[in-house]
Structures are given as structure tokens and as C-alpha cells.
Amino acid sequence: MRETWKRFRSILIMALALCLAGSMPAAAAEAAKDKEPEKKPAATVNGKTITRAQFDRQMNGVRQRLLQSGHLLSDVELRDVKTRVLESLIDRELLYQESQKRGFKGDAQAVDGQIAQFKQRFETPEAYQQALKSMNLTENSIRDELLKNSAIDQLVQDRFAKGITVSDEETKAFYKDRHDLFERPERVHARHILVSVKPDASADDKKAARKKIDDLKARVKKGEDFAALAGANSDCPSKERGGDLGFFARGQMVKPFEDAAFSLAPGAVSDVVETDFGYHLIQVIEKKPQETVPYEEVQPTISEHLQKQKMQQKVEEFLTQAKKDAKITRTAVDEL
């Protein structure tokens, strides 16, 4: 749970609202106006109101993300999550207010590009307008919210990111201390042919599917190209790549498939493998043993991570002081 919230908080500190992490509509919803008047705001920051509707939208987004990861909140966790969401909204408002003091207006051109990309998700302009209407939004309200995010990002880059350096000694020390992060497990690069079988398939359908996979196996044995057969006959979307699944480690595939793939030598083709998806033929292209990623390969990533860490620390220090100086009122979490 703690790591989940570090991730969310990092997004906020980088001046991207939590609602932007998922989709444009969620980000835009931050600017929506509720028809029903609110009796009590979630918080006020130097006279600026954080509405209950804003808080509820953020909470809904967080709940959805946690549910997607299979995490159900206990009562204690829910209270903690509410506290963190409220503080994140306050943090974001403080950063925005600071951006305005320093004259940052946001990148209007980049925002227009974001909106254009969002529009492309809809088949027609009418569908786009209907989506906005259903969320009680306008394109201007979306633009305003994204410009706010952009202004915060400009502040962060100018005030907190500028001048940060990471030495070779720091990256090497991180690599040594966190060596476990750079271990790659044994991996297999394979392609497959799938003849799918529905869970409720009849005996005749299963028999037909088995005959098809057996016939394909015979064709492979005769020397026909596995990738070509996969492209023409597989029921898996990977057929567009000749059945290529790329590299995968143990635990990423269903067990019968995994067991067969890891037991094969490069170039070998499996017997028919049955899984809940149907019948498979598997061809192993390449195998890689467990290995440690060389320092030279990960040094740029480590350096970037440490730079962001230092920047985050600067932002945290700013927010700690800003909260002391600001006039903030909060609604009790139990009332939210």
C-alpha cells in the first residue's frame, strides 16, 4: 500500500494531477461544475476552495486503480487513502498558486495537442461533444485544467529540477546497494500457434480443434515455416507477428504453457499443449539464463531515478514550508 501511494504522490509532485494518470476525461473532470451546491468544501487553501466534488472524483479514480490491481481497501486503509488524497489536492493547489506568483502560464500549444489526441479517440465530433456533455464539461474547462497542470510542471522544472546533478559515485553506489533490482530471471523467447477452445465447447468442437492442431503439428514436422503457419492459422492476436510472444519469464504464462516452453531447447517445437485457452504448438526461438544487468546498461536509468528523487525532495521541502505559511482549512476525513 505504501508503494502504491508513493507512486501516486510522485505523480502529483511532478505536477500531474492524479486524475491525469488514467485518461483525459478524468483529468478534465477536475474542472467540472456540479449542478448541486456543496454544503461544505473538502478544504480551502489561501481562500481557494477545493470542492467536495473534486475530492470525490479523485477518490473514485484512486479506488478504480486499486481495484484494478486487485486491492480492496479496509476501513483503516480507506481513511488513510482519503487523508492522502486530500493532502495531495492541497499540495497541488499550493504548487499552482506558486506557479502563478512566478508568472508561469502553461504551454498552450502542448495542451491543444493533448486535446487533439483526446478527440481522436472518438469516431465523430458528435460523439466527442456527447462525451463532454455527459461529464458536464466543456472543451474550455478541459483546456483550463490542463493549462493548470502545465503551469505547475513549468514551476517544477524551473525551480526544483534545474541544476540537479548526479555523480558517477552516486549511481554506482545505488547499483551496488540495490543489486537485486538488476537481476533478470531466466527467460524464453517463443512463438506459438493457438487453436482456441471455448470453455463451454461441445465434444465435437473440441475434437475438431484437436484435429486442426494435430494437422498443423504434422505440417511443422514436414518442414513448413512455423511463423507462416501461425500467421495463417492461429487464433491468438500474436499471429500478426507470426505467433511471436517475445521474451517471458516464469509466472507470466499459464503453467502448462510455461512448463512446455522452458523445457524446450532453442529451435524445438513442443507436442500439443492444452490450456484453458485451447491447444497450442510452441516453438522456442531463444533462451536466456538468469543474469545481472550490466551497470553500463542501467546507468542512465539510475541517474534519471536519482535526479527525480532529488527533485522530489526539493518539492517536499517546499510543500512543508508552504503549508506552514498558508492558511489551510480541512474537513475532517470522517466527514468526507
Side-chain angles (χ1 to χ4, degrees):
M1 188 66 184
R2 183 175 298 173
E3 290 303 316
T4 299
W5 273 106
K6 279 184 180 178
R7 190 158 61 248
F8 282 132
R9 186 164 180 78
S10 175
I11 292 171
L12 281 158
I13 288 171
M14 291 296 291
L16 297 173
L18 278 172
C19 53
L20 274 180
S23 64
M24 182 76 74
E30 189 70 26
K33 304 295 184 182
D34 279 9
K35 295 180 180 178
E36 295 293 330
E38 292 186 350
K39 294 181 179 179
K40 194 173 185 180
T44 60
V45 181
N46 294 323
K48 171 65 177 179
T49 297
I50 296 173
T51 68
R52 178 67 180 269
Q54 289 174 307
F55 173 83
D56 289 342
R57 282 189 287 271
Q58 293 285 34
M59 274 300 303
N60 288 338
V62 172
R63 278 195 181 98
Q64 288 175 10
R65 286 175 180 83
L66 292 176
L67 285 173
Q68 287 169 2
S69 67
H71 191 101
L72 298 176
L73 294 174
S74 67
D75 290 342
V76 173
E77 287 176 326
L78 178 60
R79 195 177 192 284
D80 182 56
V81 168
K82 284 184 175 182
T83 299
R84 292 173 183 269
V85 165
L86 183 59
E87 290 307 307
S88 293
L89 287 168
I90 291 170
D91 289 350
R92 182 171 179 264
E93 180 58 34
L94 285 167
L95 286 169
Y96 178 66
Q97 290 181 11
E98 182 68 14
S99 77
Q100 297 310 285
K101 289 178 185 177
R102 293 174 177 265
F104 294 107
K105 303 301 181 184
D107 187 335
Q109 185 175 354
V111 166
D112 286 341
Q114 288 178 279
I115 293 174
Q117 287 181 351
F118 175 47
K119 285 183 178 180
Q120 290 175 2
R121 301 182 187 181
F122 298 89
E123 294 183 1
T124 64
E126 291 75 19
Y128 168 66
Q129 291 299 329
Q130 184 59 41
L132 294 182
K133 186 177 179 181
S134 68
M135 293 182 288
N136 207 21
L137 296 171
T138 66
E139 190 170 288
N140 284 337
S141 67
I142 294 175
R143 181 176 284 103
D144 289 345
E145 189 62 27
L146 293 176
L147 276 172
K148 183 175 181 177
N149 292 332
S150 180
I152 297 172
D153 187 58
Q154 289 174 339
L155 168 73
V156 170
Q157 295 303 318
D158 182 79
R159 176 166 179 179
F160 306 114
K162 190 179 291 183
I164 292 178
T165 60
V166 175
S167 67
D168 288 341
E169 289 74 18
E170 288 175 295
T171 55
K172 287 177 181 177
F174 185 91
Y175 181 80
K176 180 180 178 181
D177 294 341
R178 301 302 306 275
H179 210 257
D180 57 304
L181 296 176
F182 309 107
E183 294 293 332
R184 282 183 182 150
E186 179 187 10
R187 293 173 295 152
V188 169
H189 181 192
R191 57 167 52 100
H192 80 138
I193 299 171
L194 168 66
V195 176
S196 63
V197 178
K198 295 180 180 178
D200 58 350
S202 66
D204 287 344
D205 288 341
K206 290 180 180 179
K207 185 176 180 181
R210 180 66 197 223
K211 183 179 185 307
K212 181 178 178 180
I213 200 74
D214 285 338
D215 290 345
L216 289 167
K217 179 183 175 183
R219 292 171 67 180
V220 170
K221 276 194 170 184
K222 289 179 181 179
E224 290 192 50
D225 183 72
F226 191 100
L229 287 172
N233 298 279
S234 181
D235 293 325
C236 178
S238 65
K239 69 180 182 180
E240 302 298 333
R241 304 181 299 278
D244 195 335
L245 297 169
F247 277 98
F248 54 89
R250 293 185 184 275
Q252 293 182 266
M253 300 292 180
V254 291
K255 197 166 190 315
F257 191 100
E258 172 189 294
D259 290 343
F262 278 89
S263 69
L264 293 170
V269 176
S270 71
D271 290 329
V272 175
V273 177
E274 183 176 0
T275 72
D276 291 339
F277 299 100
Y279 299 112
H280 309 255
L281 290 177
I282 305 167
Q283 182 185 56
V284 168
I285 301 169
E286 185 181 1
K287 297 179 82 171
K288 289 189 176 181
Q290 181 176 344
E291 60 180 347
T292 301
V293 184
Y295 168 75
E296 291 73 20
E297 185 175 333
V298 295
Q299 188 275 336
T301 301
I302 295 173
S303 180
E304 181 181 0
H305 169 75
L306 293 177
Q307 284 178 330
K308 288 181 179 178
Q309 204 172 60
K310 288 183 178 184
M311 183 180 69
Q312 179 170 331
Q313 184 177 350
K314 284 187 175 184
V315 175
E316 292 284 2
E317 290 171 356
F318 163 79
L319 288 171
T320 297
Q321 186 58 49
K323 284 184 176 180
K324 291 179 181 178
D325 297 336
K327 184 177 180 180
I328 302 172
T329 62
R330 299 170 176 82
T331 293
V333 172
D334 292 337
E335 298 179 35
L336 293 173

